[in-house]
Amino acid sequence: MRIAMIGSGYVGLVSGACFADFGHEVVCVDKDPSKIEALQAGRIPIFEPGLEALVGDNVRQGRLSFTTELAPAVSGADAVFIAVGTPSRRGDGFADLSFVHAAAREIAEAITGYTVVVTKSTVPVGTGDEVERIIREAAPQAEFAVVSNPEFLREGAAIDDFKRPDRIVIGTEDARAAAVMNEVYRPLYLNAAPILVTGRRTAELTKYAANAFLATKITFINEIADLCEQVGANVQEVARGIGLDNRIGKKFLHAGPGYGGSCFPKDTLALVKTAQDHGAPIRIVETVVAVNDQRKRAMARKVIVACGGSVRSKTVALLGLTFKPNTDDMRDAPSLSIVAGLKDAGAVVRAYDPEGMEQARPLLDGITYADDAYHCAEGADALVIVTEWNAFRALDFARLRTVMTEPVLVDLRNIYSRNAVERHGFRYTSIGIA
């Protein structure tokens, strides 16, 4: 199959590289010349485990290429995927579809022969209808179908998610388009990946519903963690106790500082706005959004309490800045609110992250960056684990004790046990464990 991937960001690049690895001929298109130049030179603009090798292998095999020219990539393609950004729109929080609509207009001018246009971007219900209208208006004689094919990729595990998916959702009522999409994903038949063919609007809503449900699970266990601290219970044991119920499941029941990243914050907000616009408000998700926003700021107050009620002129060392490990993504990361809260309280903030510091620098003014965890901790009055990178799971507490001014550890990811930390003379604060 010949595939054009419009947008070479996280979703477009991972999807394009994986499709090429399946044996398809893939051209990734992006408006940013510097990004395309970097990709052509073998430099990957995002951090995702395994992606650099995957891209390099498929470029060498001639199955994957990069360009700023949309028309040649789209002309003659069997499937054209729209994988551009849909950030939250300023003012109302609704998904900004301007990039999707612009891509549709350009695609309309370039398609030749029957083409399946696939919205891979996360888009509100009804976006496929508008994409179809735009193309039909610009190219009345074109033979095409518009399909929704939402992505379900976890940053840090995206390649494995793409190649071994829980499910593939294809939204179309067009049998010819469904046949093309089945051929695109045919290499996954060996893995017995379930392919769910639905209506286009159903597929669009499925993506939002999935992310909202997972965000709800995270927020639920975080509120249970707060209750555990007040009543003398252990949230980790509560999570295990409920997670062993197959109706609930153990995933996304890890208490922490709140969710962030490129998907959950913007997708929950977009779903809330869509529901309100259609007169069917989703009160649970509205509350999830509000509680999560408040929680991130509350983590700074937890650090302040652990430091005796004041951090003015004290040095607080943060380990981890990205919203999760194995990514350099800083979008809506809890660290942004935590740093702001600590600085407002007068703290001197130092930070270290294995991959995210370059992304963090434009977002976090007035903090210093360290070369490693121990350099970060030097002279600190408190050490705070914000992101659970593997590099932070086996810290040398005897060494930390000698370099820190005060032996205070605030573990916002519960990766240590209290006994393991306190036997080294540290004062330990965790999430949801009294």
Side-chain angles (χ1 to χ4, degrees), residues 147-150 168-172 177-178 181-182 185 195-199 203:
V147 172
S148 173
N149 176 219
I168 299 162
V169 177
I170 296 172
T172 182
M181 294 302 293
N182 273 283
Y185 283 105
I195 295 182
L196 177 64
V197 180
T198 73

Side-chain angles (χ1 to χ4, degrees), residues 109-422:
E109 297 172 0
I111 55 177
T112 57
Y114 181 75
T115 306
V116 176
V117 179
V118 188
T119 50
K120 194 63 150 170
S121 304
T122 300
V123 295
V125 175
T127 301
D129 299 349
E130 182 64 11
V131 168
E132 182 174 341
R133 187 198 64 78
I134 289 171
I135 298 175
R136 185 71 65 200
E137 185 177 83
Q141 305 305 316
E143 279 191 283
F144 72 97
V146 176
V147 172
S148 173
N149 176 219
E151 54 85 15
F152 299 98
L153 306 179
R154 296 169 298 160
E155 293 189 45
I159 294 171
D160 192 60
D161 284 348
F162 196 98
K163 293 187 173 184
R164 297 170 182 82
D166 294 327
R167 76 290 201 196
I168 299 162
V169 177
I170 296 172
T172 182
E173 294 85 9
D174 186 306
R176 188 177 179 186
V180 170
M181 294 302 293
N182 273 283
E183 186 63 21
V184 167
Y185 283 105
R186 184 180 56 80
L188 291 179
Y189 287 176
L190 290 176
N191 295 341
I195 295 182
L196 177 64
V197 180
T198 73
R200 192 164 60 199
R201 287 186 166 221
T202 299
E204 291 168 340
L205 184 55
T206 297
K207 167 65 174 180
Y208 278 109
N211 279 357
F213 191 83
L214 295 174
T216 301
K217 286 187 75 173
I218 293 171
T219 304
F220 173 82
I221 202 64
N222 282 340
E223 292 211 302
I224 293 296
D226 292 343
L227 180 58
C228 285
E229 292 177 8
Q230 298 302 315
V231 302
N234 184 316
V235 72
Q236 290 176 306
E237 295 174 1
V238 171
R240 179 170 170 77
I242 64 176
L244 288 171
D245 186 329
N246 291 330
R247 296 169 300 175
I248 297 173
K250 64 183 180 179
K251 294 183 178 180
F252 286 81
L253 289 178
H254 301 288
Y259 62 76
S262 62
C263 294
F264 287 4
K266 75 176 182 66
D267 291 353
T268 50
L269 192 56
L271 181 59
V272 165
K273 297 300 181 183
T274 297
Q276 291 173 347
D277 286 350
H278 287 82
I282 304 177
R283 301 302 186 197
I284 290 175
V285 183
E286 290 177 9
T287 302
V288 165
V289 171
V291 170
N292 189 68
D293 287 344
Q294 295 161 7
R295 182 170 191 79
K296 295 176 185 178
R297 186 79 175 190
M299 294 300 100
R301 295 195 294 273
K302 181 178 279 288
V303 175
I304 293 169
V305 171
C307 291
S310 174
V311 290
R312 185 159 301 282
S313 301
K314 293 182 178 181
T315 298
V316 178
L318 303 186
L319 296 185
L321 293 170
T322 55
F323 86 97
K324 64 181 288 188
N326 296 321
T327 179
D328 60 355
D329 198 338
M330 286 293 300
R331 285 173 286 187
D332 282 294
S335 62
L336 300 175
S337 296
I338 294 170
V339 168
L342 292 172
K343 286 180 61 184
D344 288 347
V348 177
V349 180
R350 188 186 304 135
Y352 168 71
D353 188 282
E355 293 292 340
M357 291 193 290
E358 287 307 307
Q359 299 290 338
R361 289 181 198 276
L363 305 174
L364 294 172
D365 294 326
I367 74 170
T368 57
Y369 296 90
D371 298 327
D372 58 38
Y374 301 101
H375 177 216
C376 187
E378 285 181 11
D381 296 280
L383 184 66
V384 185
I385 298 174
V386 181
T387 312
E388 67 276 32
W389 286 91
N390 284 337
F392 306 148
R393 291 181 178 273
L395 295 171
D396 184 341
F397 285 100
R399 180 179 175 185
L400 287 172
R401 184 71 177 82
T402 63
V403 300
M404 292 179 64
T405 300
E406 292 291 336
V408 175
L409 177 69
V410 182
D411 183 0
L412 299 182
R413 297 292 181 173
N414 289 354
I415 62 176
Y416 289 99
S417 68
R418 181 179 300 278
N419 290 339
V421 176
E422 289 184 344

